[in-house]
Amino acid sequence: MDKAYSPAAIEARLYARWESLGAFKPSGTGPAYSIVIPPPNVTGTLHMGHAFQDTIMDALIRHRRMLGFDTLWQPGTDHAGIATQMVVERQLNAAGSSRRDLGREAFIERVWQWKEQSGGIISNQMRRLGASVDWSRERFTMDPQLSEAVTEVFVRLHREGLIYRGKRLVNWDPVLKTALSDLEVASEPEQGSLWHLRYPLADGPGHLVVATTRPETMLGDTAVAVHPDDERYRALIGRRVRLPLAGREIPIIADTYVDPEFGSGCVKITPAHDFNDYEVGQRHALPMINVMTLDARLTDEVPAPYRGLERETARARIVADLEAQGLVERIEPHQLMVPRGDRSHAILEPLLTDQWFVKIAPLAAPAVRAVEEGRIRFVPENWSGVYFEWMRNIKDWCISRQLWWGHRIPAWYDADGRVYVGRTESEARAAHGIGPEVVLRRDEDVLDTWFSSALWPFSTQGWPASTREMAVYYPTSVLVTGFDIIFFWVARMIMMGLKFTGEVPFREVYVHGLIRDHDGQKMSKSKGNVLDPLDIVDGIGLDALIAKRTSGLMQPQMRPAIERATRKQFPDGIAAFGTDALRMSFASLATMSRDLRFDMARVEGYRNFCNKLWNAARYVLLNAAEDGGDGVVEYGVADRWIRSRLAATLERVEAGFADYRLDLVATALYEFTWHHYCDWYVELTKAVLQSEDATAAQKQGARRTLVGVLETLLRALHPLAPFISEEIWQRARASAGVSGETIMLARYPRAADLDRDPEAERELEWVRQFVLGVRQIRGEMDIAPSRKIEVVLQNAGPQDLSYLDRNRRFLERLAGIETPRLVERGAPAPISAVALLGELEILVPMAGLIDPAAEEERLGKRRRKAEADLQKLRAKTANEEFVRNAPAEVVAKDRARILELGTELEQLDRQASRVRALLAQ
RNA sequence: GCGCGCUUAGCUCAGCGGUAGAGCAUCACCUUGACAUGGUGGGGGUCAGUGGUUCGAUCCCACUAGCGCGCACCA
């Protein structure tokens, strides 16, 4: 083995081997365990969030696979309607063309080309991460069979009256020229104005003042509303005002929607351009006048001077004209929430259009019950509250999009606009008895991308056919996802899954946090703080990193700031840390927090961990090579101890996996590997293996244990660190006496396979405390590590003597001491620095080694600590209520500790007085 | 406005009714035969604040403050 761990040399080779072995396919034995991947955009690239999520899923899948489950990790990609269409349109625009130039057919063809061209990128990136998905089952939301599922769902819902079409006020994106669902609206606070406008009374002198943030919609006003109890306006209710500029008369109505406190207490009502006004309009049967076109210009419904004006221009013109007529009372600054499209970022326009909707309440009710009844469990649990909150207030879902890329709605219209829904045109004709002489025109719209995503857990398994996959892998075991798409995706999958399969789509939802940068900022291209996961795996130079972060910026003026920040944070670029280090880092981030700060220092730490493991393995394999064969094997206390620690570690690992606490899994394995196995056990074996008086059987026991524990540890680590564990396992398996093609398919170790050994733990703890005590003296007294020191033991009890007898070899090696000399209790001993191990006093004679003043200080420090502890415990146990109410073992423990501390203080005082006597000379 | 998080060592985070932990950073010593991507030892915290419950609170409850997120918004 090479001296240093170098991930690049092993990773690609191992992944290719796993894939060619077919190790990612379900094994077909054991109970099923399945996860569907949240499908990334087919033309997208892997970002940190994907890498994090994939790491979690892969760890869960590898763990269950090794436990013998029939494991399926279902991969695939999403057509991502708006996002993908926008990318291709931008390409066309850059080339001086447009989608309209191309026409629908050619444009769609073009998108498919782009999908073929870039669709493999993210899959290959997933391979680099070691994702053990079954590639042979990769699916795409626009595959024929998945499209068939979409049509099937649409037709069935329509037949049941759960999909309907109608003219409704929807969120309209005038740039993309499509309707959006409520979820795709991101409102942001922006600085605007509140215009106070005078509307003259139609039937007499005087006027009303209405306050509005959108004067350009006034031409569509069909009423002015006041609160019914508002004394100021009570008398005016039922009268009329003359709408300025338009000249129409509109009524003054009363509606409790109006807040008398706000503005003037009079609200202009524009039912066709505001959601609240729409409802007021419904209540009062007001006419709706649409004054806005699909690209947000004024329609022919308005007076001639304003027709065709873009909304911003129209606003300026209308305000100017009103001002000219003295109808603007005042304009005040006003902060308002401006609705913008989450993709285009354009200001959305509430617009009356014909759209398709899913009637959601009948679907939501069972979906709420499924979570209430625990058939689906959210982890962490509090996300179910968010889910309930949304589901209780859910509104009908606008599913039609005026795009070209997506699943076209299976509806046809005749010349009179009558609509016929069917799986195909011929089915629609047959169902409605429409002969071939009638010309039908297919609906132009496509479905919201999330409509097909909602079917993903079962459409990927072959639905609507009843397949073996549906029977075995559905419902899936767990959905791993971020909280940002609970509404978009999770809720809709639950509704659709229950509706069409009668089953929940997944039994648990593990909602992980969001990966942020080191400063807690969301990673985004525009902030210039994105990291490419593969740059952490492969490394990247500073210049290349800056180039990556600053190319293709929407706001090029950000460039210098991004460059500066990047130079500061990564002065030397990013080192090649390897996939395993990245994955371990992600696992360690997988706490229950919702914000997860990504810190490169952590990756470096786990890279070092990999190196540590690698070198420990070198040591083990070097020694295992000297295996004495079939001789007698004797396992010593250290061997028993490390097995016992391993058992304890596996208990923590099991608990971590059960609770989706991969951070605890990572920590448990890290601690065991570094602090138990490497720091202590490996060092202890050196005392045996390099000893002349250790027996062959003892050496054999150490060798077997070294390699056996290593092999088990590798299997335990494999779900988090698949590559290094496989690489070492391949080299270690012969020495360990295990067989198998790959660690991937080896059995996952269980705590129950090993025994806890309390006796060995106690004894080795004594050894550790002994060594630590001596080391502390060495460290604080600056005694060279190479220098063997003399040690005198006083007050040794029978237990100490027997421990000492068995472990002398360890103490001499790890503490760097000569064979200890025993002194009777009370007998004279040399003036020494002292370490305490219960009653036992470990004395390091000072002569020529130790500065008495330093030792006095050290003793004083320890004394202060012991004294403080003692005071606290004395006060506690003096409290009668404590003694009466606390559990007996707690009281007993505290009392025992008081005795210990008393002894310790006596010992420290005795030592201190001797040292002081020495100093006084 | 309603709801939900978070606040623990310089930084990033675990923990949790019974003696405050890790990684990184820091200081000192060390090229010791797996590993300097390392070893050994040290320093560092009134667990945001106030009140309550309790024999006992970093932990449970209430309130306050700060930070963050989601939803809904008064035109």
Side-chain angles (χ1 to χ4, degrees), chain A residues 838-856:
Chain A
E839 300 272 305
L840 177 66
E841 294 177 26
I842 304 164
L843 305 175
V844 177
M846 287 184 169
L849 263 183
I850 293 171
D851 172 18
E855 175 63 2
E856 194 202 5

Side-chain angles (χ1 to χ4, degrees), chain A residues 47-61:
Chain A
H47 58 59
M48 291 294 280
H50 291 128
F52 174 58
Q53 193 171 63
D54 291 346
T55 296
I56 292 170
M57 286 185 283
D58 194 48
L60 296 175
I61 284 285

Side-chain angles (χ1 to χ4, degrees), chain A residues 408-444:
Chain A
R408 196 153 169 188
I409 289 174
W412 286 262
Y413 303 88
D414 63 19
D416 299 328
R418 273 189 295 266
V419 61
Y420 308 101
V421 169
R423 288 171 185 80
T424 59
E425 180 176 341
S426 54
E427 187 187 276
R429 282 179 187 273
H432 296 91
I434 298 164
E437 72 287 354
V438 178
V439 176
L440 290 184
R441 178 179 52 80
R442 184 162 186 177
D443 196 304
E444 296 287 325

Side-chain angles (χ1 to χ4, degrees), chain A residues 76 142 163 209 281 298 310 384 414 479 507 564 571 583 919:
Chain A
M142 282 174 67
I163 281 183
V209 176
L298 295 196
E310 203 275 328
S384 57
D414 63 19
L479 178 77
R507 306 194 187 284
R564 219 176 310 122
R583 289 176 56 125
L919 280 168

Side-chain angles (χ1 to χ4, degrees), chain A residues 80 131 347 402 464 504 509 822:
Chain A
I347 296 178
Q402 288 66 49
V504 295
V509 183
L822 291 167

Side-chain angles (χ1 to χ4, degrees), chain A residues 584 605-613 669-670 673-674 717:
Chain A
M584 292 288 291
Y606 278 108
R607 190 273 315 262
N608 294 351
F609 169 81
C610 289
N611 185 248
K612 188 79 179 171
L613 177 68
L669 291 168
Y670 181 100
T673 304
W674 203 308
L717 276 166

